[in-house]
Amino acid sequence: MADIVYPPVIWTSLTSFRALDLRLRVEGAEHVPKAGGAVLAANHVSYLDFIFAGFAARPAGRLVRFMAKKEVFDHKISGPLMRAMHHIPVDRSAGAAAYDHAVRALRGGEIVGVFPEATISRSFTVKDMKSGAVRMAASAGVPLIPVALWGTQRLWSKGCPRNLLQRHVPIAIVVGEPTFPQADDDPAALTAELRVRLSAMLDQAQRAYPDIRPGAWWQPVHLGGTAPTPEEAAALDTAEIEARRTRRGAGHDTPPE
């Protein structure tokens, strides 16, 4: 497929990162294949994670087609860009169509990016994960590659200060070794294994981070930060879902996550 918009978007992002002196560190990029389909499964701590997860594939010269909620495609600014970059819209009320779209893309040799937690983790730990990434990899016969992101939450995360012009922020992008799910494997078991691997990779990235600050809002509790605990984060997520249902019941539009 023709990619007229995607390369200029990457170039613009890189130019912005250089201007802000964001200190991107990519490890394990050799695990991303230079040809053929693959699923990149990343943890989710920021609204900007799709940008940085995509950089995991840049050394291999690949573009990543990310699965993102339909509301992003409906937006008057982000929508045209997302469609032009051939990302995959996900309607949460009819997820089968997005799943089929992703599997076709994988079989066609594309790399598809997925955030198995579905929503941003407020605790900055890895939440429970959905099995779609594992099932897609098994259905398409492609590798499943974990990606741990850290530092992106400092720029823009859920319920936290947004500072897109913050300078000198270290960003870690860690790519793990691929696994090869099979059609007869147990998706729940493989998803549990993926969560364990991503948690270990994220913990390693957090502990190796060059700017650890005890008491910082963007640090998880277990490393001395003031982010919500996983239990507190789950309660906040539940309250948000209930509030969204109430707004829908009252006939109000629901704002994006």
Side-chain angles (χ1 to χ4, degrees):
M1 65 180 71
D3 280 295
I4 299 173
V5 173
Y6 212 151
V9 169
I10 293 174
W11 181 85
T12 301
S13 298
L14 281 171
T15 301
S16 300
F17 297 161
R18 292 190 186 103
L20 295 171
D21 191 29
L22 298 187
R23 299 168 186 177
L24 271 65
R25 177 174 59 88
V26 181
E27 293 185 10
E30 69 274 9
H31 297 310
V32 178
K34 293 184 178 180
V39 175
L40 293 189
N43 69 303
H44 203 5
V45 293
S46 166
Y47 289 108
L48 304 176
D49 284 338
F50 71 97
I51 297 175
F52 294 99
F55 277 99
R58 188 168 176 268
R62 306 295 304 276
L63 299 175
V64 182
R65 315 300 175 180
F66 283 96
M67 302 186 75
K69 61 187 179 180
K70 177 179 175 290
E71 290 85 350
V72 178
F73 290 80
D74 292 338
H75 192 274
K76 64 181 180 180
I77 296 175
S78 62
L81 283 173
M82 295 293 282
R83 287 188 290 274
M85 290 186 284
H86 308 294
H87 294 309
I88 301 170
V90 178
D91 184 342
R92 290 174 179 171
S93 65
Y99 177 90
D100 292 342
H101 184 168
V103 170
R104 287 196 302 272
L106 291 166
R107 289 174 176 164
E110 298 284 354
I111 295 181
V112 173
V114 182
F115 297 101
E117 297 165 278
T119 58
I120 290 172
S121 171
R122 301 174 193 260
S123 66
F124 305 137
T125 60
V126 180
K127 299 165 54 174
D128 288 340
M129 297 166 58
K130 298 184 182 297
S131 64
V134 167
R135 292 188 291 109
M136 286 189 302
S139 294
V142 301
L144 174 68
I145 304 171
V147 179
L149 304 171
W150 187 241
T152 61
Q153 77 284 0
R154 296 178 63 177
L155 302 175
W156 189 13
S157 190
K158 180 182 285 189
C160 299
R162 177 173 61 182
N163 191 349
L164 300 178
L165 298 180
Q166 190 174 178
R167 295 174 57 80
H168 316 305
V169 175
I171 305 290
I173 305 167
V174 183
V175 185
E177 294 185 4
T179 58
F180 296 85
Q182 303 299 309
D184 56 352
D185 288 335
D186 179 359
L190 290 187
T191 300
E193 291 177 12
L194 175 62
R195 186 186 180 205
V196 169
R197 289 190 67 198
L198 269 178
S199 295
M201 291 167 57
L202 177 60
D203 184 70
Q204 182 178 0
Q206 290 170 332
R207 294 181 186 277
Y209 195 66
D211 190 21
I212 294 177
R213 299 185 193 179
W217 64 264
W218 47 266
Q219 285 282 138
V221 168
H222 71 275
L223 291 180
T226 59
T229 65
E231 295 76 18
E232 292 168 341
L236 289 169
D237 287 343
T238 299
E240 181 182 64
I241 291 170
E242 292 301 322
R244 189 181 300 135
R245 287 173 179 164
T246 299
R247 288 194 296 268
R248 286 175 179 164
H252 299 304
D253 291 334
T254 302
E257 176 191 305

